C-alpha cells in the first residue's frame, strides 16, 4: 500500500512543511525499537508542545484526559468527531508522532475503518484499540467489565489495518482480560488472536498496584510482538524491571492533566483567598512563556514576510552603570545579574521585542566585556566612570532616528506599560508611577520624581493629558506627581527634539555631567512631553538586594 501524504503536508511549530509519513515511521520505530521507549500523555495542542519541549519522542493522546479536559467522563461522552478535532490541534502543534487512545474504535468495524482513515489524513501516527464494548467504561471503574467477542474484535483490527493510508501506521491492540479478572490464560489467548489479526503491538493492561502480573505476561508472551504497558497503578516499579522484561514501550498516561488539575486548584484557591494574584504570580508560567509556546515569534516572522513593511520603533537601553544591586562585589555589571535563569538585560530586551521592537541598541560601560546579548547592537561608553546618563545616550545618538523607546538597563516593567507608550499619539511620553515613591533605605540612587501640570485622578472618565514640568530626584515627595519608571517613547518628531537637546547640552559644555532628568526637563521646557500615569506593581527598579529578590518573582 503506498503512503498517502495529507494535502499540504504537516506543519510543525516553526511552520515548516514536512511529509506526514515521517511521523508514521517515527512511531513505528519507537514501538519496534529493541530499547525501551516512552510516550507521554497530552490532551490538547499546548500540552503536546510541552511534551515535545520536554524531550519525549512520542505522545499518547489519552482518551481519559481529552474527555476530562472537555469536562466529560471517559465513557465515550465526547463523540469521535469531537475527539478528532482535538487530535487535529495536537498534530498541528507538534512534530512528534502521536499514538491515539481510540477506546473501542467508537463502534464496530465500520466505525473503526472510518476513524483510522481520518486519523491518517491528519497525520496521527497510530491508534490503540481496547477489546471492550461500546460505549466503554474506564478500566479503573468497577470490576468484571464485559469484553468484546474475540472474533468480532479481530474484525475491528483487520478493518483498521485495511483502512490505514500509510504502511507505517501503527495499530496497538489493548488486552483487558487481566483488568476484567479473566486470568492470564485468557489474556494470552486474546493477545495471540489479535497478533494474528494484524495488530502491530499488544498493550497488556493491569490495575494492580504491583507489576507482577504484567511481568508474568511478558515472560509468557516472549516478545511475539512488541509489548506496551501503562503503569498508572504500579508506577513505583523500577523502570529497569520493564527494560529487563523486554517491554517495548511505557505510556505515562495521564500525568500532565493531573499535574495541571493540582496546580490550577491551588492557584484558584489562593487567588480567591487573597483577592489578589500577588502571591502566585512568581509561581506560575509567565504570559510571555505562553506566547513562546504557541509560536508568536513565528507569526511575527510571517508578518514581516507577507505584510507590507512599515516603520518599526527602535530602542536604546542605557546599561553603562557599574556594580551589582546592594553593592555585591562580583565585578559583574548590574544589567547582567541573574533573573530566574536569564540576565536582567535579556529579560528587559525580551519585553521590548515582545512589543515589536527589534532594533535594540545597548550602551554598555562598566564590565563591558560581560555585557553580551545576541541580536543586540552594543555601543560603548568608555568614560562611564566620569560621565552621566546623557553622555551614554549621546554615545548611541546614531540610533535616535524614527520612533525610539528609551529605557534604563536596570528596570523591569509589564509589557502593557510599554504597549501603552507605543499606542500614545504624543511625540514624547514618559511612563510615570502615580503611586507614592517606595522607601529606598539602602538604595544608592534616589528616585526620579516627576512634577506635571496635572496629577493622576484615578477616575476612569478623566482622560485629559498631563504634561511634564520637571524630573528631579530632589523634589519634595509631597509635591511630586509620581516617579519616572526609566521608560520613555519618542515619535520620529520627538526623537529629533531629543537629538537637538543632546546637541544643545554638548554645545553648552554640560553633556558629560548631565543626567536624564535634566535632559527631559530641558526638553519639556521647549516641547510638550506627555506624562502617562500607571498604578500598581507594574514595574521594578533593580537597585538593592531586596529588589533583586523581588525581580525573580516578577512574571
Amino acid at each position: 500500500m503506498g503512503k498517502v501524504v495529507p494535502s499540504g503536508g504537516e506543519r510543525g511549530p516553526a511552520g515548516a512543511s514536512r511529509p506526514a509519513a515521517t511521523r508514521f515511521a517515527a512511531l513505528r520505530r519507537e514501538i519496534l525499537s529493541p530499547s525501551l521507549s516512552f510516550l507521554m500523555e497530552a490532551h490538547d495542542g499546548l500540552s503536546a508542545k510541552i511534551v515535545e519541549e520536554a524531550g519525549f519522542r512520542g505522545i499518547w493522546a489519552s482518551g481519559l484526559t481529552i474527555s476530562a479536559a472537555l469536562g466529560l467522563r471517559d465513557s465515550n461522552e465526547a463523540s469521535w468527531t469531537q475527539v478528532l478535532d482535538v487530535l487535529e490541534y495536537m498534530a498541528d502543534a507538534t512534530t512528534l508522532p502521536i499514538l491515539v487512545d481510540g477506546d473501542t474504535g467508537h463502534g464496530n468495524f465500520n466505525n473503526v475503518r472510518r476513524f483510522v482513515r481520518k486519523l491518517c489524513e491528519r497525520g496521527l501516527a497510530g491508534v490503540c484499540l481496547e477489546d471492550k464494548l461500546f460505549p466503554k467504561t474506564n478500566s479503573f471503574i468497577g470490576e468484571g467489565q464485559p469484553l468484546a467477542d474475540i472474533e468480532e474484535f479481530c474484525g475491528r483490527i483487520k478493518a483498521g489495518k485495511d483502512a490505514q493510508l500509510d504502511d507505517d501506521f501503527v495499530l496497538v491492540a489493548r488486552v483487558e482480560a487481566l483488568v476484567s479478572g479473566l486470568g492470564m490464560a485468557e489474556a494470552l489467548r486474546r493477545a495471540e488472536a489479535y497478533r494474528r489479526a494484524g495488530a502491530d503491538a499488544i498493550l497488556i493492561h493491569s490495575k494492580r498496584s504491583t507489576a507482577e502480573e504484567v511481568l508474568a505476561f511478558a515472560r509468557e508472551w516472549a516478545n511475539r510482538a512488541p509489548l506496551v504497558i501503562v503503569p498508572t497503578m504500579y508506577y513505583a516499579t523500577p523502570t529497569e524491571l520493564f527494560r529487563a522484561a523486554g517491554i517495548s514501550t511505557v505510556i505515562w498516561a495521564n500525568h500532565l492533566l493531573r499535574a495541571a488539575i493540582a496546580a490550577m486548584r491551588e492557584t484558584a484557591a489562593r487567588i480567591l483567598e487573597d483577592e489578589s494574584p500577588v502571591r502566585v504570580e512568581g509561581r506560575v508560567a509567565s504570559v510571555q512563556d505562553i506566547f513562546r509556546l504557541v509560536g508568536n515569534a513565528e507569526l511575527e516572522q510571517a508578518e514581516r514576510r507577507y505584510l507590507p513593511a512599515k516603520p518599526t520603533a527602535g530602542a536604546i537601553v542605557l546599561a553603562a552603570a557599574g556594580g551589582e544591586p546592594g553593592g555585591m562585589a562580583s565585578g559583574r555589571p548590574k544589567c547582567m545579574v541573574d533573573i530566574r535563569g536569564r540576565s536582567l538585560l535579556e529579560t528587559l530586551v525580551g519585553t521590548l521585542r515582545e512589543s515589536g521592537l527589534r532594533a535594540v541598541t545597548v550602551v554598555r560601560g562598566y564590565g563591558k566585556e560581560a555585557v553580551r546579548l545576541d541580536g543586540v547592537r552594543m555601543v560603548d561608553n568608555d568614560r562611564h566612570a566620569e560621565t552621566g546618563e546623557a553622555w551614554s545616550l549621546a554615545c548611541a545618538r546614531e540610533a535616535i532616528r524614527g520612533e525610539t523607546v528609551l529605557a534604563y538597563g536596570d528596570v523591569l516593567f509589564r509589557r502593557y506599560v510599554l504597549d501603552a507608550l507605543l499606542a500614545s499619539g504624543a511625540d514624547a511620553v514618559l511612563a510615570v508611577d502615580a503611586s507614592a515613591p517606595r522607601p529606598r533605605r539602602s538604595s544608592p540612587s534616589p528616585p526620579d520624581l516627576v512634577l506635571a501640570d496635572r496629577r493622576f485622578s484615578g477616575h476612569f472618565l478623566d482622560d485629559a493629558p498631563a504634561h511634564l514640568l520637571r524630573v528631579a530626584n530632589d523634589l519634595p515627595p509631597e509635591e511630586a506627581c509620581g516617579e519616572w519608571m526609566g521608560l520613555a517613547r519618542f515619535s520620529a518628531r520627538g526623537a529629533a527634539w531629543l537629538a537637538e537637546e543632546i546637541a544643545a547640552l554638548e554645545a553648552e559644555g554640560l553633556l558629560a555631567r548631565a543626567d536624564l532628568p535634566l535632559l527631559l526637563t530641558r526638553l519639556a521646557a521647549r516641547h510638550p512631553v506627555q506624562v502617562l500615569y500607571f498604578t500598581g506593581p507594574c514595574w521594578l527598579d533593580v537597585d538593592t538586594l531586596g529588589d533583586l529578590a523581588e525581580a525573580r518573582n516578577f512574571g
Side-chain angles (χ1 to χ4, degrees):
M1 184 184 300
K3 292 180 173 62
V4 175
V5 179
S7 177
E10 296 178 3
R11 294 281 170 185
S17 181
R18 63 176 62 206
T22 59
R23 289 204 278 195
F24 294 114
L27 181 60
R28 179 166 288 274
R29 282 195 302 270
E30 290 300 308
I31 297 295
L32 297 182
S33 171
S35 59
L36 186 62
S37 297
F38 301 93
L39 302 182
M40 172 55 81
E41 170 264 326
H43 48 274
D44 56 18
L46 187 62
S47 56
K49 286 176 179 287
I50 290 171
V51 171
E52 181 167 24
E53 189 177 74
F56 284 92
R57 294 200 295 264
I59 293 173
W60 168 252
S62 162
L64 167 63
T65 62
I66 289 174
S67 296
L70 294 173
L72 300 174
R73 290 176 285 257
D74 185 25
S75 300
N76 294 126
E77 291 184 356
S79 71
W80 71 268
T81 55
Q82 290 172 319
V83 171
L84 196 64
D85 284 342
V86 176
L87 295 172
E88 185 169 13
Y89 280 112
M90 292 173 62
D92 285 345
T94 178
T95 61
L96 292 181
I98 299 174
L99 176 61
V100 175
D101 181 0
D103 293 335
T104 63
H106 303 281
N108 67 6
F109 76 92
N110 193 42
N111 303 81
V112 168
R113 61 183 182 177
R114 181 164 170 78
F115 187 55
V116 166
R117 281 198 301 270
K118 294 303 179 183
L119 294 179
C120 290
E121 289 169 359
R122 287 157 176 78
L124 282 306
V127 69
C128 178
L129 302 178
E130 58 190 84
D131 58 352
K132 292 199 294 196
L133 304 178
F134 178 85
K136 60 85 59 84
T137 300
N138 188 279
S139 300
F140 299 140
I141 297 175
E143 302 292 337
Q145 294 182 21
L147 301 188
D149 175 81
I150 292 178
E151 290 302 319
E152 187 275 332
F153 187 72
C154 286
R156 291 187 229 171
I157 294 172
K158 293 173 184 177
K161 294 303 293 180
D162 287 345
Q164 68 186 41
L165 303 179
D166 189 287
D167 289 343
D168 287 325
F169 182 85
V170 172
L171 193 152
V172 178
R174 172 168 152 178
V175 178
E176 291 283 304
L178 298 180
V179 171
S180 294
L182 300 181
M184 185 65 67
E186 178 66 9
L188 289 165
R189 186 168 76 94
R190 285 175 173 267
E192 177 60 19
Y194 303 159
R195 182 188 72 83
R196 290 178 179 274
D200 298 294
I202 299 298
L203 190 158
I204 183 65
H205 204 27
S206 170
K207 61 179 181 180
R208 291 189 181 178
S209 59
T210 69
E212 291 177 3
E213 65 178 2
V214 165
L215 295 175
F217 180 94
R219 287 192 296 271
E220 294 291 334
W221 182 246
N223 284 319
R224 282 175 261 174
L227 194 59
V228 181
I229 61 172
V230 185
T232 299
M233 302 303 291
Y234 49 97
Y235 59 86
T237 305
T239 302
E240 281 305 315
L241 291 182
F242 301 145
R243 191 172 276 114
I247 302 296
S248 159
T249 305
V250 172
I251 295 175
W252 309 117
N254 43 51
H255 296 80
L256 291 192
L257 183 70
R258 288 162 60 193
I261 289 171
M264 287 191 291
R265 183 177 285 141
E266 179 182 353
T267 300
R270 179 62 55 82
I271 292 176
L272 178 64
E273 177 185 348
D274 295 351
E275 297 184 346
S276 167
V278 169
R279 280 206 291 168
V280 304
E281 188 63 40
R283 303 178 184 179
V284 299
S286 67
V287 175
Q288 289 74 27
D289 196 18
I290 297 175
F291 293 152
R292 181 187 60 79
L293 278 169
V294 300
N296 277 41
E298 187 279 328
L299 178 59
E300 291 177 4
Q301 293 174 5
E303 287 174 345
R304 289 194 291 275
R305 178 176 182 180
Y306 299 119
L307 293 178
K310 60 181 180 180
T312 56
I316 300 173
V317 178
L318 302 183
E324 291 199 39
M328 293 173 64
S330 71
R332 180 172 48 182
K334 184 194 295 189
C335 66
M336 298 306 291
V337 296
D338 179 77
I339 306 292
R340 295 172 68 183
R342 306 169 73 194
S343 70
L344 173 57
L345 179 62
E346 184 180 0
T347 304
L348 169 60
V349 170
T351 303
L352 296 172
R353 285 175 169 164
E354 285 159 10
S355 290
L357 281 69
R358 290 291 175 264
V360 179
T361 299
V362 172
V363 183
R364 59 186 182 177
Y366 175 83
K368 66 180 184 181
E369 295 81 7
V371 182
R372 299 177 181 176
L373 192 59
D374 290 342
V376 168
R377 176 175 175 253
M378 296 291 177
V379 173
D380 296 338
N381 176 8
D382 291 325
R383 296 180 58 191
H384 61 90
E386 59 187 86
T387 58
E389 301 151 352
W391 183 274
S392 287
L393 180 57
C395 291
R397 69 178 79 199
E398 289 184 3
I400 306 174
R401 59 179 185 275
E403 187 177 12
T404 303
V405 170
L406 176 62
Y408 282 144
D410 57 358
V411 297
L412 296 175
F413 45 84
R414 305 288 186 196
R415 179 179 164 180
Y416 69 78
V417 175
L418 177 56
D419 288 344
L421 295 189
L422 292 169
S424 169
D427 289 311
V429 57
L430 308 185
V432 174
D433 183 355
S435 310
R438 293 178 300 161
R440 302 189 183 194
R441 297 185 183 91
S442 60
S443 174
S445 56
D448 294 329
L449 300 180
V450 169
L451 182 64
D453 61 3
R454 285 176 58 87
R455 289 183 173 273
F456 176 67
S457 70
H459 197 285
F460 72 95
L461 292 177
D462 184 3
D463 58 358
H467 291 91
L468 179 68
L469 297 176
R470 185 183 174 203
V471 185
N473 41 46
D474 59 356
L475 276 175
E478 64 273 12
E479 294 182 14
C481 299
E483 180 179 356
W484 182 44
M485 299 182 190
L487 182 66
R489 173 204 149 267
F490 303 89
S491 69
R493 186 183 183 194
W497 296 345
L498 186 64
E500 289 170 3
E501 201 58 49
I502 291 172
L505 282 169
E506 189 171 33
E508 297 169 31
L510 302 175
L511 184 62
R513 293 296 181 183
D515 58 13
L516 282 189
L518 174 62
L519 175 60
L520 294 171
T521 299
R522 286 172 57 111
L523 187 67
R526 298 173 186 261
H527 306 286
V529 177
Q530 188 172 332
V531 167
L532 207 56
Y533 288 119
F534 298 87
T535 59
C538 60
W539 75 293
L540 184 64
D541 182 4
V542 184
D543 213 23
T544 68
L545 290 177
D547 294 334
L548 182 58
E550 190 175 345
R552 288 169 178 156
N553 288 324
F554 191 89

